Amino acid sequence: MEANATPRDRAASHDLADIRAQFPILEREVNGRPLVYLDSAASAQQPQRVIDRIERYCREQHANVHRGAHALSVEATEAFEGARQLVAGHVGVSDPAEIVFTRGTTESVNLVAASWGAANVGAGDEIVLTKMEHHSNIVPWQLLARRTGAVLRYVDVTPDGRLDLDDYARLLGPRTRLVGVTHVSNGLGTINPVVEITELAHDAGALVLVDGAQAAPHLMVDTHAIGCDFYAFSGHKMCGPTGIGALWARRELLEGMEPYQGGGEMISEVTLEGSKWAEIPHKFEAGTPNIAGAVGFGEAVAFLSDVGHDRLAAHEDEIIAYALERLSAVPGVTLYGPRENRTSVFSFTLGDIHPHDLSTILDQGGIAIRAGHHCNQPLMDHMGVSATARASFYLYNTRAEVDALIDGLGMAARVFGGVSSTE
Ligand code: PMP
């Protein structure tokens, strides 16, 4: 803490120390240096209470869920369904039956493409996506298009990393069945105007799927306020475990959709001739679910709720401002994505140093960043790069960790030499 820190700065720093203390992994060293974890957009770390909750479930409460008459099964079911309620609350949903547990955002999108898509998209119909979508909101639609003869259209991205809304309006038409858009770009940090995008899509008679993988961890999400039809997100990006996520959709939509997979749990009756489906959301949850994962996911959203959105947002604003200021001042750094209306995901290159080399050098100093195409190959092509380095921050990161990143970049520039002016 600097000598001229105000009492408010001191309180904030106390607060951050308190949050950091809840994440045991932050105490470890990597390559002999304190871990500086700047890869939360790929997967966030888990606080002790999430780890404890999963452990307590495994140690004391584990049994298969639903229909069990014994005490443990009842307890496991209560924990599982309680988690669904918590997850629903996190995205402003009051009816937990509208939350389908999936393996994550990827499976949520695949579910919609396979189930809703197969019934509602035919040859010549159009699906509008954007050039900044993660592969998981492109490839399932390509599979559907291949099966049905539907046509995919992609909204352009402006040089400052925003969606070109004029291009979007032009792409919408009478054949548009669905618009798929990421709420926050994992490659650029851009927060997209999903309310406006949804209104325009609905005016054109199309439904809207929002990929919330990068938004649900950072923003106050209210699916009803957005007005969209489907919202997909992942537990592991919001302090929960991997292998669990959710799809939200309006009740009547889910009720009208065919199951995604068949098996146990998703039926009400099976005969050799045919079957009847269980009520939503179980109709979409074939087989024994990831119970421990769901319970951990529920605890993660309870943790985020206890931290409080205001604290989260204030910290995020501070980190964004500081990281932007410091990164922009590094000679040779090219920063991608907008300066405003963004989250704390920063994609950049440093001179002509390959992002993988940059990441390797930083790792020697205990600094974890990601390098590559970030499952954003069409976006990278659009930006004319094959890869970027990406530093992503979350509620436990400090200004000192921004400084560590900047020092690491300085060291990389010295090691590789020849970093000239911005390119
Ligand atoms: N969409 C976006 C914007 C993402 O950042 C990610 C994860 N990188 C995904 C979708 C896929 O999430 P998951 O791997 O958890 O299914």
Side-chain angles (χ1 to χ4, degrees):
M1 172 103 330
E2 289 142 32
N4 59 355
T6 65
R8 198 158 151 257
D9 290 339
R10 272 189 216 101
S13 140
H14 233 101
D15 213 33
L16 188 50
D18 175 54
I19 284 181
R20 286 181 68 81
Q22 297 180 56
F23 288 81
I25 206 165
L26 299 180
E27 284 162 25
R28 68 162 284 182
E29 295 191 341
V30 168
N31 292 325
R33 305 290 296 276
L35 169 66
V36 174
Y37 188 73
L38 304 182
D39 198 19
S40 295
S43 211
Q45 297 298 347
Q46 295 168 48
Q48 187 64 49
R49 65 185 267 190
V50 169
I51 298 166
D52 288 347
R53 183 65 191 93
I54 295 170
E55 197 217 30
R56 182 162 78 84
Y57 168 77
C58 295
R59 204 160 22 81
E60 297 174 16
Q61 297 180 303
H62 172 64
N64 212 327
V65 287
H66 303 138
R67 298 178 319 280
H70 61 83
L72 269 190
S73 178
V74 171
E75 257 187 65
T77 304
E78 279 170 7
F80 182 68
E81 293 303 331
R84 195 190 304 277
Q85 198 142 6
L86 288 166
V87 170
H90 187 79
V91 290
V93 170
S94 54
D95 179 0
E98 294 183 339
I99 293 287
V100 177
F101 278 131
T102 61
R103 283 192 296 121
T105 307
T106 304
E107 190 176 40
S108 298
V109 178
N110 275 280
L111 189 164
V112 178
S115 168
W116 180 87
N120 292 282
V121 178
D125 284 342
E126 295 171 9
I127 292 163
V128 173
L129 305 170
T130 85
K131 290 183 183 168
M132 67 167 80
E133 293 314 300
H134 187 278
H135 296 168
S136 63
N137 201 21
I138 295 179
V139 184
W141 303 111
Q142 289 176 336
L143 288 170
L144 177 69
R146 214 190 270 192
R147 280 197 296 271
T148 60
V151 179
L152 305 185
R153 306 213 176 276
Y154 297 95
V155 181
D156 224 337
V157 174
T158 63
D160 69 338
R162 303 197 168 281
L163 288 179
D164 179 339
L165 294 180
D166 291 334
D167 189 45
Y168 172 54
R170 271 194 299 275
L171 291 181
L172 289 171
R175 298 302 302 264
T176 313
R177 292 284 167 270
L178 180 126
V179 172
V181 61
T182 192
H183 195 166
V184 170
S185 160
N186 64 302
L188 299 169
T190 318
I191 301 175
N192 287 319
V194 284
V195 174
E196 191 181 344
I197 287 169
T198 300
E199 275 170 13
L200 284 171
H202 285 173
D203 288 349
L207 297 193
V208 177
L209 178 146
V210 178
D211 169 351
Q214 297 293 341
H218 293 273
L219 308 181
M220 178 89 105
V221 173
D222 182 339
T223 56
H224 293 289
I226 295 170
C228 60
D229 304 285
F230 302 103
Y231 197 91
F233 51 114
S234 300
H236 68 100
K237 303 211 192 259
M238 37 206 294
C239 301
T242 52
I244 187 78
L247 171 71
W248 167 80
R250 283 182 285 108
R251 174 176 271 277
E252 54 292 4
L253 259 175
L254 287 176
E255 283 176 344
M257 283 160 55
E258 285 289 297
Y260 166 54
Q261 294 179 328
E265 296 273 341
M266 51 73 72
I267 48 80
S268 64
E269 189 189 328
V270 178
T271 64
L272 292 181
E273 287 69 43
S275 305
K276 291 186 182 146
W277 315 138
E279 297 290 314
I280 65 161
H282 309 295
K283 180 170 82 170
F284 296 103
E285 294 178 355
T288 299
N290 180 357
I291 310 166
V295 169
F297 189 10
E299 191 67 21
V301 301
F303 163 75
L304 290 176
S305 157
D306 288 349
V307 170
H309 181 70
D310 290 350
R311 265 164 93 192
L312 206 67
H315 174 260
E316 171 102 348
D317 287 348
E318 185 186 340
I319 287 284
I320 291 171
Y322 190 58
L324 274 179
E325 176 197 323
R326 298 243 35 209
L327 274 169
S328 322
V330 177
V333 159
T334 303
L335 249 179
Y336 299 91
R339 298 190 73 88
E340 279 162 10
N341 266 335
R342 58 149 36 256
T343 61
S344 50
V345 178
F346 299 96
S347 262
F348 59 93
T349 49
L350 176 60
D352 51 13
I353 303 175
H354 195 283
H356 284 135
D357 293 336
L358 203 52
S359 166
T360 304
I361 288 243
L362 290 171
D363 188 54
Q364 322 249 290
I367 303 169
I369 65 159
R370 189 147 289 254
H373 55 60
H374 319 295
C375 298
N376 269 154
Q377 264 181 331
L379 177 66
M380 298 286 134
D381 287 347
H382 182 71
M383 298 191 309
V385 290
S386 58
T388 66
R390 186 185 73 181
S392 56
F393 295 78
Y394 205 17
L395 74 169
Y396 34 68
N397 289 119
T398 64
R399 287 163 69 102
E401 290 180 314
V402 177
D403 295 338
L405 171 67
I406 302 299
D407 292 347
L409 295 181
M411 179 156 78
R414 283 193 296 280
V415 169
F416 284 96
V419 171
S420 53
S421 58
T422 51
E423 12 199 296

